[in-house]
Amino acid sequence: GAVVSQHPSWVICKSGTSVKIECRSLDFQATTMFWYRQFPKQSLMLMATSNEGSKATYEQGVEKDKFLINHASLTLSTLTVTSAHPEDSSFYICSARDGDRGADNSPLHFGNGTRLTVT
Amino acid sequence: GQNIDQPTEMTATEGAIVQINCTYQTSGFNGLFWYQQHAGEAPTFLSYNVLDGLEEKGRFSSFLSRSKGYSYLLLKELQMKDSASYLCAPMDSNYQLIWGAGTKLIIKP
């Protein structure tokens, strides 16, 4: 089945620094990847849709200059949290549909998530 | 608006059967997904329904009634490892998944 790899699994950084999270589709090409954030006991919140070769689409309320997304190839999208603050501490999860299968209603496959702690 | 309603928490006994209900309201509909999420982990795909009726996959079955905006996930022969949150996620007319907080299922021996 489709596999999405996310790295790192967890990261601790100091306030004001930047953190990059990578999301790779290992056995399929993903023209679109989705970045979610999840706070404890809350639902997944879509932050942005990453589009290969073009600008990401951000959800309302998500600062595009703070959460930089780059989708330079069909298998890799990166999320960079810039000038991190303690309130950015959360569980960040990427996901993708198997682009080779094409259908918009294909299931999302999730990476294992990145737990970010900003001190 | 778009809305999902699931029980916050359910408790069941190992070896038993449990049904997790979900009602939803979306702008358009392109099917409904069920995901399992263990604490501290990312969701994993369980099932997808787009037509009315029951889809069976091993110990797990999922049911959909589009006219009622209703779905359920049925788990049989419960095992301790089934303790997790179960997320009902309908897909709207833009093929966007709508996420609720899910149902936390606690399995007791």
Side-chain angles (χ1 to χ4, degrees):
Chain A
V3 177
V4 176
S5 174
Q6 188 172 342
H7 177 81
S9 300
W10 58 271
V11 58
I12 301 173
C13 71
K14 292 185 177 180
S15 187
T17 61
S18 295
V19 173
K20 180 185 283 188
I21 303 170
E22 292 188 349
C23 181
R24 295 180 185 273
S25 56
L26 295 186
D27 54 355
F28 66 99
Q29 294 182 329
T31 54
T32 303
M33 290 185 175
F34 303 90
W35 287 96
Y36 288 89
R37 179 167 55 183
Q38 187 177 36
F39 293 104
K41 298 184 179 181
Q42 295 188 20
S43 63
L44 291 166
M45 291 178 50
L46 180 64
M47 299 176 66
T49 302
S50 170
N51 304 298
E52 188 269 335
S54 65
K55 292 182 179 180
T57 304
Y58 289 82
E59 295 300 304
Q60 192 172 7
V62 178
E63 300 175 57
K64 62 180 181 180
D65 294 330
K66 179 169 180 63
F67 298 99
L68 301 179
I69 290 173
N70 184 281
H71 195 152
S73 77
L74 286 171
T75 59
L76 173 65
S77 175
T78 61
L79 168 68
T80 302
V81 182
T82 62
S83 186
H85 289 281
E87 56 263 34
D88 297 325
S89 298
S90 186
F91 191 46
Y92 292 85
I93 317 172
C94 71
S95 67
R97 290 195 178 95
D98 186 341
D100 290 343
R101 297 184 186 174
D104 285 329
N105 59 357
S106 298
L108 282 179
H109 300 284
F110 287 88
N112 288 331
T114 299
R115 188 159 303 282
L116 171 64
T117 302
V118 184
T119 60
Chain B
Q2 311 205 93
N3 185 59
I4 296 170
D5 191 19
Q6 289 180 247
T8 303
E9 187 173 298
M10 299 180 70
T11 302
T13 305
E14 189 176 17
I17 299 173
V18 71
Q19 178 174 311
I20 302 174
N21 295 322
C22 169
T23 57
Y24 62 88
Q25 290 179 309
T26 56
S27 301
F29 182 73
N30 279 299
L32 184 144
F33 293 85
W34 282 95
Y35 282 83
Q36 180 191 60
Q37 186 176 24
H38 284 98
E41 298 182 11
T44 55
F45 169 73
L46 290 178
S47 68
Y48 173 66
N49 294 66
V50 65
L51 299 177
D52 289 351
L54 187 68
E55 294 278 344
E56 297 186 73
K57 191 184 292 186
R59 293 190 298 115
F60 294 2
S61 302
S62 56
F63 172 84
L64 176 67
S65 169
R66 289 171 297 172
S67 63
K68 295 181 180 178
Y70 168 69
S71 175
Y72 69 72
L73 181 69
L74 190 71
L75 293 79
K76 302 177 184 177
E77 301 170 19
L78 286 170
Q79 302 174 10
M80 297 303 293
K81 67 178 182 178
D82 297 330
S83 292
S85 288
Y86 291 86
L87 312 178
C88 163
M91 182 179 282
D92 68 13
S93 58
N94 293 319
Y95 294 95
Q96 294 289 334
L97 286 172
I98 311 302
W99 298 94
T103 298
K104 182 179 180 180
L105 178 63
I106 300 169
I107 309 298
K108 295 185 175 180

